[in-house]
Amino acid sequence: DGDANLSKGMKQAIKTKTPFTNTMRTLFFQRLHKSVGLLAKQHPTLAIAQTFIKEKYRTKFLQEFPHARFILITSYNLIREKRLTQRPDMPLDIKYARSMVENFDAPLLPHTEITNNTDGDEEILKQLQKIGIIE
């Protein structure tokens, strides 16, 4: 979970419903790259769950980890918002969650898209099998 790399400042921004600054994002992604690099030395295959809101951070990640595959997971707005507000460890305010969507750069890098509009793992697992991520 990439959110394990959130700084105290970022966690505070979430609590106070303050947008992340570019400096915060840059430092976060530096921490994420370091964590992924350490994990990659121990594990030949990794899955990183992280919202790459800006294309420049996706590009930098791909430059450092050229074998990375990006998967854009989409869901209906109401479902996504409900999930974000009900997260046990950092629930988001609806307005804050919507501001994230407004700041999201549509991906230009090659990626696969799957949907997550149902509760439970079954549908996601089927889609991951279909695209060859899992057996």
Side-chain angles (χ1 to χ4, degrees):
D1 185 350
D3 282 355
N5 295 281
L6 289 173
S7 67
K8 289 179 184 177
M10 292 178 101
K11 291 176 184 177
Q12 184 63 28
I14 292 169
K15 285 181 185 176
T16 60
K17 303 170 191 164
T18 306
F20 293 164
T21 65
N22 286 333
T23 301
M24 291 170 130
R25 282 191 197 102
T26 297
L27 293 173
F28 168 77
F29 280 103
Q30 288 172 352
R31 291 171 70 163
L32 180 70
H33 286 218
K34 184 177 179 181
S35 293
V36 171
L38 291 171
L39 287 168
K41 290 178 182 177
Q42 301 170 12
H43 306 283
T45 304
L46 298 173
I48 290 86
Q50 183 55 51
T51 303
F52 285 76
I53 287 187
K54 299 295 182 187
E55 185 75 2
K56 72 179 184 178
Y57 297 114
R58 295 178 208 129
T59 301
K60 286 182 182 181
F61 191 87
L62 190 57
Q63 287 170 347
E64 189 163 341
F65 304 100
H67 298 298
R69 291 177 61 187
F70 288 94
I71 301 173
L72 175 61
I73 302 173
T74 62
S75 64
Y76 296 129
N77 289 338
L78 291 176
I79 291 172
R80 184 182 61 257
E81 290 173 353
K82 178 182 174 186
R83 290 173 178 159
L84 290 171
T85 60
Q86 294 179 350
R87 292 186 336 176
D89 56 329
M90 277 188 292
L92 298 182
D93 171 83
I94 289 287
K95 186 176 177 183
Y96 190 82
R98 288 177 180 166
S99 74
M100 290 173 59
V101 172
E102 291 170 11
N103 286 311
F104 185 78
D105 289 346
L108 301 174
L109 291 172
H111 64 281
T112 303
E113 190 170 323
I114 61 176
T115 58
N116 184 9
N117 288 323
T118 58
D119 289 330
D121 298 339
E122 187 176 333
E123 188 59 35
I124 287 289
L125 292 173
K126 284 181 190 176
Q127 290 177 75
L128 291 173
Q129 287 171 335
K130 187 176 180 179
I131 62 173
I133 298 294
I134 61 173
E135 294 181 8

PDB file of all heavy atoms in Angstrom, residues 12-26:
ATOM      1  N   GLN A  12      -1.872  15.086   7.890  1.00  0.00           N
ATOM      2  CA  GLN A  12      -2.502  16.274   8.465  1.00  0.00           C
ATOM      3  C   GLN A  12      -3.334  16.999   7.409  1.00  0.00           C
ATOM      4  O   GLN A  12      -4.430  17.469   7.698  1.00  0.00           O
ATOM      5  CB  GLN A  12      -1.436  17.211   9.055  1.00  0.00           C
ATOM      6  CG  GLN A  12      -2.000  18.423   9.746  1.00  0.00           C
ATOM      7  CD  GLN A  12      -2.861  18.081  10.955  1.00  0.00           C
ATOM      8  OE1 GLN A  12      -2.669  17.058  11.616  1.00  0.00           O
ATOM      9  NE2 GLN A  12      -3.840  18.925  11.236  1.00  0.00           N
ATOM     10  N   ALA A  13      -2.829  17.080   6.185  1.00  0.00           N
ATOM     11  CA  ALA A  13      -3.577  17.725   5.105  1.00  0.00           C
ATOM     12  C   ALA A  13      -4.900  17.005   4.857  1.00  0.00           C
ATOM     13  O   ALA A  13      -5.930  17.644   4.633  1.00  0.00           O
ATOM     14  CB  ALA A  13      -2.730  17.767   3.825  1.00  0.00           C
ATOM     15  N   ILE A  14      -4.877  15.682   4.918  1.00  0.00           N
ATOM     16  CA  ILE A  14      -6.116  14.919   4.738  1.00  0.00           C
ATOM     17  C   ILE A  14      -7.100  15.250   5.858  1.00  0.00           C
ATOM     18  O   ILE A  14      -8.281  15.480   5.615  1.00  0.00           O
ATOM     19  CB  ILE A  14      -5.821  13.407   4.671  1.00  0.00           C
ATOM     20  CG1 ILE A  14      -5.046  13.094   3.378  1.00  0.00           C
ATOM     21  CG2 ILE A  14      -7.107  12.590   4.754  1.00  0.00           C
ATOM     22  CD1 ILE A  14      -4.474  11.688   3.316  1.00  0.00           C
ATOM     23  N   LYS A  15      -6.595  15.291   7.096  1.00  0.00           N
ATOM     24  CA  LYS A  15      -7.471  15.598   8.238  1.00  0.00           C
ATOM     25  C   LYS A  15      -8.069  16.991   8.139  1.00  0.00           C
ATOM     26  O   LYS A  15      -9.232  17.205   8.491  1.00  0.00           O
ATOM     27  CB  LYS A  15      -6.692  15.474   9.549  1.00  0.00           C
ATOM     28  CG  LYS A  15      -6.419  14.058   9.971  1.00  0.00           C
ATOM     29  CD  LYS A  15      -5.673  14.024  11.293  1.00  0.00           C
ATOM     30  CE  LYS A  15      -5.306  12.591  11.650  1.00  0.00           C
ATOM     31  NZ  LYS A  15      -4.499  12.526  12.883  1.00  0.00           N
ATOM     32  N   THR A  16      -7.271  17.934   7.661  1.00  0.00           N
ATOM     33  CA  THR A  16      -7.750  19.323   7.589  1.00  0.00           C
ATOM     34  C   THR A  16      -8.365  19.664   6.232  1.00  0.00           C
ATOM     35  O   THR A  16      -8.710  20.815   5.992  1.00  0.00           O
ATOM     36  CB  THR A  16      -6.593  20.310   7.898  1.00  0.00           C
ATOM     37  OG1 THR A  16      -5.550  20.124   6.936  1.00  0.00           O
ATOM     38  CG2 THR A  16      -6.069  20.114   9.311  1.00  0.00           C
ATOM     39  N   LYS A  17      -8.434  18.654   5.361  1.00  0.00           N
ATOM     40  CA  LYS A  17      -9.041  18.816   4.036  1.00  0.00           C
ATOM     41  C   LYS A  17      -8.298  19.863   3.200  1.00  0.00           C
ATOM     42  O   LYS A  17      -8.888  20.629   2.446  1.00  0.00           O
ATOM     43  CB  LYS A  17     -10.522  19.171   4.154  1.00  0.00           C
ATOM     44  CG  LYS A  17     -11.315  18.160   4.948  1.00  0.00           C
ATOM     45  CD  LYS A  17     -12.696  18.642   5.243  1.00  0.00           C
ATOM     46  CE  LYS A  17     -13.338  17.718   6.261  1.00  0.00           C
ATOM     47  NZ  LYS A  17     -14.509  18.287   6.874  1.00  0.00           N
ATOM     48  N   THR A  18      -6.983  19.846   3.335  1.00  0.00           N
ATOM     49  CA  THR A  18      -6.119  20.766   2.605  1.00  0.00           C
ATOM     50  C   THR A  18      -5.488  20.019   1.438  1.00  0.00           C
ATOM     51  O   THR A  18      -4.982  18.912   1.619  1.00  0.00           O
ATOM     52  CB  THR A  18      -5.001  21.287   3.537  1.00  0.00           C
ATOM     53  OG1 THR A  18      -5.600  21.833   4.703  1.00  0.00           O
ATOM     54  CG2 THR A  18      -4.149  22.323   2.844  1.00  0.00           C
ATOM     55  N   PRO A  19      -5.485  20.584   0.254  1.00  0.00           N
ATOM     56  CA  PRO A  19      -4.853  19.900  -0.890  1.00  0.00           C
ATOM     57  C   PRO A  19      -3.356  19.697  -0.667  1.00  0.00           C
ATOM     58  O   PRO A  19      -2.699  20.505  -0.004  1.00  0.00           O
ATOM     59  CB  PRO A  19      -5.093  20.850  -2.062  1.00  0.00           C
ATOM     60  CG  PRO A  19      -6.195  21.757  -1.630  1.00  0.00           C
ATOM     61  CD  PRO A  19      -6.108  21.851  -0.137  1.00  0.00           C
ATOM     62  N   PHE A  20      -2.831  18.623  -1.211  1.00  0.00           N
ATOM     63  CA  PHE A  20      -1.393  18.384  -1.181  1.00  0.00           C
ATOM     64  C   PHE A  20      -0.703  19.407  -2.065  1.00  0.00           C
ATOM     65  O   PHE A  20      -1.206  19.770  -3.125  1.00  0.00           O
ATOM     66  CB  PHE A  20      -1.041  16.987  -1.707  1.00  0.00           C
ATOM     67  CG  PHE A  20      -1.517  15.844  -0.852  1.00  0.00           C
ATOM     68  CD1 PHE A  20      -1.553  14.571  -1.379  1.00  0.00           C
ATOM     69  CD2 PHE A  20      -1.906  16.008   0.461  1.00  0.00           C
ATOM     70  CE1 PHE A  20      -1.972  13.490  -0.614  1.00  0.00           C
ATOM     71  CE2 PHE A  20      -2.329  14.946   1.237  1.00  0.00           C
ATOM     72  CZ  PHE A  20      -2.367  13.676   0.703  1.00  0.00           C
ATOM     73  N   THR A  21       0.474  19.809  -1.647  1.00  0.00           N
ATOM     74  CA  THR A  21       1.283  20.694  -2.484  1.00  0.00           C
ATOM     75  C   THR A  21       2.145  19.827  -3.403  1.00  0.00           C
ATOM     76  O   THR A  21       2.323  18.628  -3.165  1.00  0.00           O
ATOM     77  CB  THR A  21       2.204  21.570  -1.623  1.00  0.00           C
ATOM     78  OG1 THR A  21       3.143  20.725  -0.948  1.00  0.00           O
ATOM     79  CG2 THR A  21       1.414  22.402  -0.616  1.00  0.00           C
ATOM     80  N   ASN A  22       2.696  20.439  -4.438  1.00  0.00           N
ATOM     81  CA  ASN A  22       3.605  19.705  -5.316  1.00  0.00           C
ATOM     82  C   ASN A  22       4.826  19.228  -4.552  1.00  0.00           C
ATOM     83  O   ASN A  22       5.340  18.142  -4.824  1.00  0.00           O
ATOM     84  CB  ASN A  22       4.012  20.574  -6.511  1.00  0.00           C
ATOM     85  CG  ASN A  22       2.881  20.711  -7.514  1.00  0.00           C
ATOM     86  OD1 ASN A  22       2.020  19.835  -7.622  1.00  0.00           O
ATOM     87  ND2 ASN A  22       2.863  21.810  -8.237  1.00  0.00           N
ATOM     88  N   THR A  23       5.310  20.009  -3.594  1.00  0.00           N
ATOM     89  CA  THR A  23       6.453  19.594  -2.772  1.00  0.00           C
ATOM     90  C   THR A  23       6.107  18.344  -1.975  1.00  0.00           C
ATOM     91  O   THR A  23       6.906  17.408  -1.901  1.00  0.00           O
ATOM     92  CB  THR A  23       6.883  20.737  -1.825  1.00  0.00           C
ATOM     93  OG1 THR A  23       7.236  21.866  -2.617  1.00  0.00           O
ATOM     94  CG2 THR A  23       8.055  20.319  -0.956  1.00  0.00           C
ATOM     95  N   MET A  24       4.916  18.315  -1.389  1.00  0.00           N
ATOM     96  CA  MET A  24       4.478  17.131  -0.635  1.00  0.00           C
ATOM     97  C   MET A  24       4.450  15.908  -1.542  1.00  0.00           C
ATOM     98  O   MET A  24       4.914  14.834  -1.148  1.00  0.00           O
ATOM     99  CB  MET A  24       3.076  17.352  -0.042  1.00  0.00           C
ATOM    100  CG  MET A  24       2.981  18.356   1.049  1.00  0.00           C
ATOM    101  SD  MET A  24       1.232  18.674   1.391  1.00  0.00           S
ATOM    102  CE  MET A  24       1.205  18.490   3.147  1.00  0.00           C
ATOM    103  N   ARG A  25       3.890  16.070  -2.729  1.00  0.00           N
ATOM    104  CA  ARG A  25       3.799  14.944  -3.664  1.00  0.00           C
ATOM    105  C   ARG A  25       5.195  14.465  -4.081  1.00  0.00           C
ATOM    106  O   ARG A  25       5.444  13.266  -4.149  1.00  0.00           O
ATOM    107  CB  ARG A  25       3.007  15.333  -4.912  1.00  0.00           C
ATOM    108  CG  ARG A  25       1.528  15.348  -4.721  1.00  0.00           C
ATOM    109  CD  ARG A  25       0.811  15.477  -6.075  1.00  0.00           C
ATOM    110  NE  ARG A  25      -0.545  15.884  -5.870  1.00  0.00           N
ATOM    111  CZ  ARG A  25      -1.005  17.109  -6.050  1.00  0.00           C
ATOM    112  NH1 ARG A  25      -0.214  18.066  -6.474  1.00  0.00           N
ATOM    113  NH2 ARG A  25      -2.263  17.395  -5.839  1.00  0.00           N
ATOM    114  N   THR A  26       6.081  15.397  -4.371  1.00  0.00           N
ATOM    115  CA  THR A  26       7.437  15.033  -4.793  1.00  0.00           C
ATOM    116  C   THR A  26       8.136  14.223  -3.704  1.00  0.00           C
ATOM    117  O   THR A  26       8.725  13.172  -3.986  1.00  0.00           O
ATOM    118  CB  THR A  26       8.244  16.293  -5.143  1.00  0.00           C
ATOM    119  OG1 THR A  26       7.611  16.934  -6.256  1.00  0.00           O
ATOM    120  CG2 THR A  26       9.675  15.946  -5.513  1.00  0.00           C
TER     121      THR A  26
END
